[in-house]
Amino acid sequence: MAARKPQGDETGYSNLGGSNATGSRAAEPVQTLAETVAERVREKVISGTLTPGSHLSEMVLCEELQVSRNTLREVFRILTKEGLLRYEANRGVFVSTPSMSTIIDIYRVRRFIECSALAQAHPRHPGTQRMRLAVDDAHRCREAGNWLGVGSADISFHSAIVELADSPRLSSFYAHISLELRLVFGLLQDPEFLHGPFIDQNGEILLELEAGRSGAAAEKLEAYLLRAERFILGAYARVAPSA
Amino acid sequence: MAARKPQGDETGYSNLGGSNATGSRAAEPVQTLAETVAERVREKVISGTLTPGSHLSEMVLCEELQVSRNTLREVFRILTKEGLLRYEANRGVFVSTPSMSTIIDIYRVRRFIECSALAQAHPRHPGTQRMRLAVDDAHRCREAGNWLGVGSADISFHSAIVELADSPRLSSFYAHISLELRLVFGLLQDPEFLHGPFIDQNGEILLELEAGRSGAAAEKLEAYLLRAERFILGAYARVAPSA
DNA sequence: TACACAAAAATTGTTCAACACTCTGGACAG
DNA sequence: CTGTCCAGAGTGTTGAACAATTTTTGTGTA
C-alpha cells in the first residue's frame, strides 16, 4: 500500500551540504521522499502557513502529509539543520521564532560577507549578469504589483553578490542566511512597505559595479544594509513588541 | 530488550543549527542517541579510521554501533549536512573525499572571513584572550611532541579570530569549515610537518593585534593563509597525485 | 479556595520486521 | 562481442510496538 509518490516537482534549491567533492558523476535530480516533503513544509513555514513558535505534532503532520512517522522525522531533521525548525528534547519540534538578536546577527553576517564580496569583485564577473537580471526582474514585478516576486528578486540579487566571491561554501552558507531572513519576512506583514524602498538602491549599487567602481558600490551596499536592518527591526518591534 | 544506553559522554560541540531563537529555556545538555552516535562516527572519520571514499553499509554499521537502522540514518543525515559524508541515491553514503578544489575553497573562505574579522577587531575583545590561550597551548603541545594537540590548538586559534566578529552564525559556519579542514588533515600524514612551521606565525599575528595594529595583523594573517594553502596543496598532491 | 502529590493520558525516542524500488553483476541468447 | 534478462544486495519507506518523558487530570489535605 501507500505507493510511492510520482515524485513531482523538483526543488531548484542547490544541494546545500557543500563538499560535493568527487564530482565524478553529475548530481542526480533524484529526490528522496523526505526531501520532497521537506520542500513542502519549508514552503509552509516561510509562507507563514505555519506560524513561528507553534508546535508541530508528529501524528497530525503524518496524517496531513501522508507520510510515515519515520520519514517525517527525517524531514524534521533536515529543516532543523536549516534553522527553520527547533527541537526540544521529549517535547517535539517547533517553528523557530526569529528574535531581535537573530535579525541583528543576520544583518551583521550580510554586511560582513556581501560588502567584502562586492569590494573585491571584478565588474565582468558572470555574477554581475545575474545581478542585472535580478534588478530587472524586481522592476517588472513592481510594475505588476507582485510584491512577493520583488522579495524573491531582492534575495536573488544579493545571492548574486555573494557569488562574486566564487566560493561554493560561502554561497551555500548565504543561502541558509537568506532562508532565515525569509522567515523573518514571513513574520512581517506588508511586503510592499518592506521591499518597495529598496529596489532602486539595488540598481544604483549595480551601476557603480558595472562602471568599475567596486569600492563605491561596497560603500553604498553597506549603507543599504544598515538602513534595511533598522527598517526590519522597526517593523519587527511593531509586530512583536515584547521580544 | 535493547535497553537505552547510559548516555555517556557529552560532545562539547556547540549546537550548530543556529537560530536558537526563543532562548526561553536554557539549551539543555540533553543529547539524543543519534547525536551521540554521530559524535562517535565523526571521530572515526576525522581520525582516519574510516578512509575517505569508502562506502558505509547501513547493516554493517548498525551491528557495529549497536543502533537501529533508523537511528543510523539520522546520524548519516547529520554528518552529511556537516559535509563529512556524502549521499548517493539508492547507493548509500560514502566518506566524502576532499579534492583540490575543496581545499582551495576552504582557504578562500578562510581568507575571506578571518582576515575581515581580524581587520575590524578591537584589541580588548574577549576573543583575544582565547587566541592567547590557543597560542600558549600550541607551544606547550609542541614541547611535549603532541602534534595532534598542536593541530587542535591551531584550529581553536583561528576559531577565536572568527569570534572577534561577534556573530554566532559566522562562528558556526566556521566550525563547519574547520571540520572539513580536519578531514583534509586526516588524509595527510605527518602532522609535525603540517603544523610545525605555523605555530610561531600565529604568535606574531596575535602580537600585532594586542599592540592595536589590527591592520598589520590582518595582512600577516593573509600571508599566513596563502602560504598554508600552498603547503597543504603540495602535501595533498603528493598523497593523491591523480585527483 | 489554594496547594502539593500521585496516577493516567498523550507525545516523543527508539527499535524492529517487512516490503517496494533501484542498482549491480553475471548468465545466456543472438 | 553485444544486448537482454534475471537474481542478489542494498537502500527507501512504512506500520507497529515498546520505553521514557512530559503534560494533564484527579485527589486529598490544610
Side-chain angles (χ1 to χ4, degrees):
Chain A
M1 247 136 271
R4 182 174 289 201
K5 279 275 176 54
Q7 199 115 315
D9 56 345
E10 70 291 318
T11 142
Y13 214 97
S14 67
N15 182 16
L16 286 170
S19 109
N20 192 5
T22 54
S24 51
R25 43 191 88 198
E28 326 185 9
V30 182
Q31 219 180 204
T32 177
L33 212 209
E35 289 170 49
T36 310
V37 175
E39 179 69 13
R40 267 206 287 166
V41 177
R42 195 182 300 141
E43 285 302 327
K44 286 195 179 192
V45 170
I46 65 181
S47 74
T49 309
L50 263 31
T51 62
S54 62
H55 179 229
L56 299 187
S57 159
E58 294 189 347
M59 282 192 308
V60 173
L61 270 187
C62 282
E63 187 67 22
E64 199 172 317
L65 299 168
Q66 288 294 304
V67 295
S68 80
R69 234 178 109 216
N70 283 318
T71 304
L72 186 67
R73 295 179 116 260
E74 285 215 4
V75 173
F76 284 166
R77 213 11 114 206
I78 293 173
L79 297 178
T80 299
K81 278 288 164 193
E82 289 181 4
L84 263 55
L85 267 36
R86 174 174 47 88
Y87 254 97
E88 271 179 45
N90 292 313
R91 283 173 42 80
V93 298
F94 301 77
V95 180
S96 62
T97 59
S99 66
M100 285 252 181
S101 67
T102 301
I103 298 175
I104 292 174
D105 194 37
I106 287 177
Y107 274 89
R108 183 173 291 149
V109 168
R110 290 189 67 181
R111 283 196 302 275
F112 197 93
I113 291 184
E114 292 187 41
C115 294
S116 302
L118 193 56
Q120 65 180 47
H122 190 286
R124 308 286 289 277
H125 190 283
T128 312
Q129 297 166 24
R130 301 199 32 200
M131 290 166 71
R132 169 55 61 196
L133 254 54
V135 166
D136 295 345
D137 197 29
H139 279 106
R140 251 195 313 278
C141 287
R142 178 167 61 177
E143 308 280 317
N146 173 13
W147 293 104
L148 257 61
V150 172
S152 294
D154 183 52
I155 285 182
S156 124
F157 175 80
H158 291 275
S159 298
I161 290 182
V162 175
E163 298 204 358
L164 293 172
D166 274 322
S167 166
R169 277 162 187 74
L170 211 58
S171 295
S172 139
F173 173 56
Y174 189 81
H176 270 183
I177 297 291
S178 300
L179 205 55
E180 286 196 272
L181 192 57
R182 264 179 198 273
L183 219 180
V184 175
F185 286 157
L187 200 59
L188 273 32
Q189 282 80 16
D190 203 346
E192 170 171 0
F193 179 67
L194 272 182
H195 299 297
F198 296 108
I199 303 179
D200 298 315
Q201 297 186 42
N202 283 342
E204 285 181 34
I205 291 168
L206 178 54
L207 246 44
E208 295 283 8
L209 176 62
E210 285 174 336
R213 293 187 294 275
S214 52
E219 276 177 38
K220 286 206 175 190
L221 175 59
E222 176 151 29
Y224 164 109
L225 287 172
L226 285 168
R227 223 172 305 149
E229 178 181 11
R230 267 191 309 226
F231 204 73
I232 301 288
L233 280 175
Y236 181 89
R238 274 191 295 280
V239 171
S242 62
Chain B
M1 250 134 273
R4 180 175 291 200
K5 278 275 177 56
Q7 198 117 316
D9 56 345
E10 71 292 317
T11 146
Y13 215 95
S14 68
N15 181 18
L16 286 170
S19 105
N20 191 5
T22 54
S24 51
R25 44 191 88 195
E28 328 186 6
V30 183
Q31 216 181 206
T32 175
L33 213 207
E35 288 172 45
T36 311
V37 175
E39 179 69 14
R40 268 206 285 166
V41 177
R42 196 183 294 136
E43 285 301 328
K44 285 194 180 195
V45 171
I46 66 181
S47 73
T49 309
L50 261 32
T51 62
S54 61
H55 179 225
L56 299 187
S57 161
E58 292 188 349
M59 283 193 305
V60 172
L61 270 187
C62 281
E63 186 67 23
E64 198 171 316
L65 299 169
Q66 289 294 308
V67 295
S68 81
R69 244 178 99 212
N70 285 319
T71 304
L72 187 65
R73 294 176 115 261
E74 287 210 358
V75 172
F76 284 165
R77 190 63 78 187
I78 294 173
L79 297 179
T80 299
K81 279 288 170 193
E82 289 181 3
L84 264 54
L85 266 36
R86 175 173 47 88
Y87 254 98
E88 271 179 46
N90 292 312
R91 283 174 42 77
V93 298
F94 301 77
V95 180
S96 64
T97 58
S99 66
M100 285 254 181
S101 66
T102 302
I103 298 176
I104 292 173
D105 193 38
I106 287 177
Y107 274 90
R108 183 173 290 148
V109 168
R110 290 190 66 182
R111 283 196 304 275
F112 196 92
I113 290 183
E114 292 186 42
C115 293
S116 301
L118 193 56
Q120 65 181 47
H122 190 286
R124 309 285 290 275
H125 190 285
T128 313
Q129 298 165 25
R130 301 199 31 200
M131 291 167 70
R132 168 56 61 196
L133 254 53
V135 167
D136 294 346
D137 197 30
H139 279 105
R140 251 194 312 279
C141 289
R142 178 167 63 176
E143 309 279 317
N146 173 12
W147 293 104
L148 256 63
V150 172
S152 294
D154 184 53
I155 286 181
S156 126
F157 175 81
H158 291 275
S159 298
I161 289 182
V162 174
E163 298 203 358
L164 293 172
D166 275 321
S167 166
R169 278 162 185 73
L170 211 58
S171 295
S172 139
F173 172 56
Y174 189 81
H176 271 185
I177 298 290
S178 300
L179 207 55
E180 285 198 271
L181 193 57
R182 264 178 199 273
L183 218 180
V184 175
F185 285 158
L187 201 58
L188 274 31
Q189 282 79 18
D190 204 346
E192 171 171 358
F193 178 67
L194 273 181
H195 298 297
F198 295 109
I199 304 178
D200 297 315
Q201 297 186 42
N202 284 342
E204 284 181 36
I205 291 168
L206 179 53
L207 244 45
E208 294 283 7
L209 176 63
E210 285 174 337
R213 295 188 292 275
S214 52
E219 276 178 37
K220 286 206 175 187
L221 176 59
E222 176 151 30
Y224 163 110
L225 287 171
L226 285 169
R227 222 172 305 149
E229 177 180 10
R230 269 192 309 230
F231 204 74
I232 302 287
L233 280 174
Y236 182 88
R238 275 192 293 280
V239 171
S242 63

